[in-house]
Amino acid sequence: MSELSLTPKKSMPPVHLSDLSLKERKLKCEELGLPGFRADQVSRHWYGHLSNDNTSWTDMSRADIETISEALLPQLLREVRTLDCDGGMTRKTVWRLHDNSLVESVLMRYTDRVTMCISSQAGCGMACPFCATGQAGLTRNLSAAEIFEQVRAGAQAMKHDEIAGGEGRISNIVFMGMGEPLANYNRVITAIHRIVKPVPEGLGISARNVTVSTVGLVPRIYDLAKEGMPLRLAISLHAPDDELRDTLVPINLQYKVSEVLDAAWHYSETVKRRVSIEYAMIRDVNDQAFRAEMLARLLVGKDVHVNLIPLNPTEGSDWTASRKSDEQKFVEILERFNIPVTIRDTRGREIDGACGQLAAKEVNVQ
Ligand code: SAH
């Protein structure tokens, strides 16, 4: 399959229904010489019934279906491959975009929820040295529809009983796939509108169950607080001190720990939501007791929750996950300061689908 080794041309895709609000879809239909209510009908099929098989759209004339499909429903995501693990409850999908860029999404089924981890960019420009995506750099931003269609594909897989555990729905979305969501701000917000607005505008997933995870692009965190949506915010902190964070999360050279946390507290007070602090536990790098205490002092008394992520291995890095004993000590110190802390159950490691492992390696596979 030499097709897969083509280099991306790095161009944005054609416009798609999911780039547009319902109002814009109506205008588009009118521009195409169709009645505006066709927008409503096609949207009910697309977002309500999750049906992209237009032969079942019996409420519309064939000619109109063809006009709309041609103008507004280009196929944006082509499945390159899917990898399942956890007895079929975790599925990673590698998607090829129209310009041959590759991105990945991961669907994870738990007893009480179904979470989709989606990508907002092809590659990532943030260059965190422990993250596989960061190593290859940024290819390009995804369009709103390219972001959203990952969710729709997952919702469709759940509806069609393709995931172990039976038919179901996606309940949670996390922007923890490839890319820095706040570096592609406007398109990510548009995609979130499609995710949270009810049918026929979008999928109707609760905004409270949508998590935006960021390295800490401070001005964009303030913007996010103004969006009027109760989204969850996760900050990838990984170190409590600027000296270490400058090396682990290079954007820290621009926005310091204190500025990132001030923005996070502003977010939590404005939106009235607890903020998550993500902390990848890297053996002998950021997992010492003194750093746990430093972290605790920064967070004490705030509406916050700490998620410790055992470092997932990535190619070419010598870093590894913390010893269990150090991890335990870290937890104890945070708990001593009454800071809620959990250790993330890292799903999908064996299929390179866990945090920081998404690299769309298939470019090199024949
Ligand atoms: N760019 C965003 C979202 C993508 S990464 C961000 O940085 O928040 C999602 C989470 O996985 C981030 O907290 C990220 O720092 C973390 N992560 C990256 N590489 C990892 C690795 N090798 N092991 C564990 N977590 C990792």
Side-chain angles (χ1 to χ4, degrees), residues 149-216:
E149 290 299 314
Q150 298 168 57
V151 178
R152 209 191 64 89
Q156 199 174 42
M158 285 298 297
K159 185 176 180 199
H160 293 170
D161 199 5
E162 289 170 25
I163 307 295
E167 201 183 308
R169 298 165 73 95
I170 305 277
S171 58
N172 295 58
I173 303 294
V174 295
F175 279 86
M176 294 190 184
M178 298 168 90
E180 165 51 44
L182 297 189
N184 186 16
Y185 188 87
N186 290 336
R187 297 183 190 91
V188 163
I189 294 297
T190 302
I192 293 175
H193 285 152
R194 296 298 96 79
I195 292 168
V196 305
K197 296 223 167 137
V199 176
E201 180 96 42
L203 280 186
I205 292 173
S206 164
R208 302 186 70 79
N209 292 346
V210 175
T211 303
V212 175
S213 178
T214 178
V215 288

Side-chain angles (χ1 to χ4, degrees), residues 124 126 128 130-132 175-181 213-215 234-236 238 278-280 309-314 344 346 355-357:
C124 184
M126 296 298 124
C128 302
F130 54 89
C131 174
F175 279 86
M176 294 190 184
M178 298 168 90
E180 165 51 44
S213 178
T214 178
V215 288
I235 305 283
S236 295
H238 306 312
E278 311 291 297
Y279 200 104
I309 320 172
L311 188 82
N312 292 306
T314 58
R344 182 175 295 162
T346 50
C355 300
Q357 294 185 311

Side-chain angles (χ1 to χ4, degrees), residues 126-310:
M126 296 298 124
C128 302
F130 54 89
C131 174
T133 313
Q135 302 320 297
L138 178 66
T139 302
R140 69 165 168 88
N141 284 321
L142 300 192
S143 70
E146 285 173 322
I147 299 168
F148 173 79
E149 290 299 314
Q150 298 168 57
V151 178
R152 209 191 64 89
Q156 199 174 42
M158 285 298 297
K159 185 176 180 199
H160 293 170
D161 199 5
E162 289 170 25
I163 307 295
E167 201 183 308
R169 298 165 73 95
I170 305 277
S171 58
N172 295 58
I173 303 294
V174 295
F175 279 86
M176 294 190 184
M178 298 168 90
E180 165 51 44
L182 297 189
N184 186 16
Y185 188 87
N186 290 336
R187 297 183 190 91
V188 163
I189 294 297
T190 302
I192 293 175
H193 285 152
R194 296 298 96 79
I195 292 168
V196 305
K197 296 223 167 137
V199 176
E201 180 96 42
L203 280 186
I205 292 173
S206 164
R208 302 186 70 79
N209 292 346
V210 175
T211 303
V212 175
S213 178
T214 178
V215 288
L217 299 186
V218 167
R220 298 288 87 77
I221 296 174
Y222 287 98
D223 290 342
L224 196 65
K226 288 189 214 134
E227 293 292 342
M229 290 186 279
L231 305 167
R232 255 184 225 154
L233 176 68
I235 305 283
S236 295
L237 198 66
H238 306 312
D241 52 313
D242 287 320
E243 196 184 348
L244 179 59
R245 194 167 192 267
D246 282 350
T247 68
L248 294 181
V249 186
I251 196 73
N252 199 69
L253 294 162
Q254 197 172 338
Y255 303 115
K256 296 297 169 198
V257 170
S258 62
E259 296 171 77
V260 174
L261 290 179
D262 282 347
W265 310 146
H266 170 83
Y267 185 87
S268 123
E269 281 153 25
T270 312
V271 179
K272 310 262 180 297
R273 295 230 50 190
R274 172 172 289 189
V275 167
S276 294
I277 300 292
E278 311 291 297
Y279 200 104
M281 294 290 282
I282 315 177
R283 184 181 296 190
D284 299 327
V285 173
N286 66 351
D287 63 354
Q288 309 85 348
F290 80 91
R291 283 214 161 81
E293 189 158 338
M294 227 189 238
L295 178 65
R297 291 189 191 282
L298 292 176
L299 307 185
V300 71
K302 300 293 186 186
D303 194 11
V304 73
H305 173 265
V306 176
N307 239 320
L308 300 179
I309 320 172

